[in-house]
Amino acid sequence: MDIPQYIDYSLLKATSSERDVINLCHEAKLNNFYAICINTTYVALAKQLLENTDIKVSAVVGFPLGAMSTAAKVFEAKKAIEDGADEIEMVMNLGYLKSKNYVSVLKDIVDVKIAIKNTPLKLILEISELNKNEIIKACNICLDAKVDVIKTSSGFSKGGATLTATKIIKKTIKDRAQIMVSGGIDDFDTAIKYLEAGADRIETSININNIKTPNNSLQNRNVKVYRKYLEAAQKESILETNAISYNG
């Protein structure tokens, strides 16, 4: 498994400097990550730094609360694309969702989706603020809005991704959209667990590609399983041989 191609390497702190963005892009290139995720103010800089690479620039809008007006989200998204963003990532309006004003939740997303045209849209649910039924409802609204990627968390709330929520999202959306997990994915082994649970992409601010150990890789797990299978097969073969000898 080529883990770097599942990773969006993020830098979303309010205090992030230009030097931080330069370092982020440098690491992304060294590790061949799928994308970086940054605030819109640095999109133009990042696009220049990643020129002649396949690394995507993902920009967050209405971040991290999702409570600003739809018009503000639309403006920010369109400006980010003008500056070179390849993907747009927005936060769902949780106030609307909690109010069961589902029409407004849908309109908020659809207006941004229409504004950015064919640019992929990632939608953050903020699962730590939602119960199971709300997660399911939010996912169904995302599907109605033709969202490309449903993301678990912003990283700025009281909790991040969970395996339980990831499985709920996967069961709800099946293969009609991708799943991105974020928040608490701090090591290689944890990333593998989420991918096995149904996630398609990982967003992390930690370079987990540099802190993996051989025993943590999916490949080595499979090797262990295969060895156990061989051992069991060999034992069975020995028993069969002994049985034939005994009966003979």
Side-chain angles (χ1 to χ4, degrees):
M1 179 178 286
D2 186 14
I3 194 71
Q5 279 300 293
Y6 293 88
I7 291 178
D8 282 34
Y9 198 32
S10 64
L11 180 67
L12 299 169
K13 295 177 182 178
T15 55
S16 299
S17 66
E18 291 181 355
R19 171 50 58 186
D20 293 329
V21 175
I22 292 170
N23 291 339
L24 180 85
C25 292
H26 179 64
E27 281 195 69
K29 287 191 286 188
L30 285 178
N31 290 273
N32 194 32
F33 290 138
Y34 180 81
I36 63 163
C37 185
I38 54 175
N39 289 298
T40 51
T41 189
Y42 290 128
V43 167
L45 172 61
K47 192 66 177 179
Q48 181 181 357
L49 293 169
L50 295 174
E51 189 177 8
N52 299 322
T53 76
D54 294 327
I55 300 170
K56 309 294 184 187
V57 176
S58 181
V60 292
V61 303
F63 190 86
L65 301 178
M68 51 288 298
S69 70
T70 300
K73 292 178 183 177
V74 167
F75 179 87
E76 188 176 17
K78 291 172 73 173
K79 182 63 170 67
I81 292 172
E82 288 177 11
D83 288 345
D86 301 295
E87 298 180 336
I88 296 297
E89 186 173 303
M90 67 176 281
V91 185
M92 179 174 281
N93 190 313
L94 298 181
Y96 283 156
L97 187 72
K98 292 287 187 179
S99 301
K100 297 185 178 181
N101 186 354
Y102 303 132
V103 172
S104 292
V105 177
L106 178 64
K107 185 179 184 301
D108 186 51
I109 302 170
V110 168
D111 283 3
V112 173
K113 180 68 176 173
I114 292 172
I116 66 177
K117 299 178 181 178
N118 294 324
T119 301
L121 177 63
K122 298 187 283 187
L123 202 289
I124 302 171
L125 302 186
E126 205 69 275
I127 59 167
S128 64
E129 303 292 341
L130 307 176
N131 59 40
K132 179 180 178 180
N133 289 336
E134 288 170 334
I135 291 173
I136 293 171
K137 185 63 179 180
C139 286
N140 284 323
I141 292 173
C142 287
L143 293 176
D144 289 341
K146 308 299 182 185
V147 165
D148 299 281
V149 181
I150 296 174
K151 181 180 167 184
T152 59
S153 326
S154 67
F156 283 77
S157 190
K158 58 189 178 185
T162 67
L163 287 170
T164 298
T166 302
K167 291 173 183 177
I168 291 171
I169 295 171
K170 183 64 178 178
K171 184 177 180 180
T172 303
I173 70 173
K174 297 181 173 60
D175 295 319
R176 291 184 285 172
Q178 290 190 333
I179 300 172
M180 171 174 279
V181 291
S182 175
I185 320 297
D186 296 338
D187 59 78
F188 188 86
D189 195 48
T190 302
I192 292 294
K193 288 179 181 178
Y194 275 97
L195 291 172
E196 290 175 339
D200 300 285
R201 294 170 65 176
I202 305 285
E203 187 171 296
T204 178
S205 59
I206 296 174
N207 188 351
I208 60 177
N209 197 46
N210 282 346
I211 56 175
K212 65 177 182 290
T213 60
N215 290 331
N216 282 338
S217 72
L218 182 59
Q219 180 179 356
N220 281 284
R221 289 187 188 184
N222 289 339
V223 168
K224 289 181 180 179
V225 171
Y226 184 62
R227 283 175 180 168
K228 288 182 180 179
Y229 168 78
L230 286 179
E231 290 172 1
Q234 288 171 352
K235 287 179 181 178
E236 185 176 345
S237 177
I238 292 171
L239 290 174
E240 287 178 355
T241 300
N242 290 338
I244 291 171
S245 299
Y246 179 81
N247 291 332

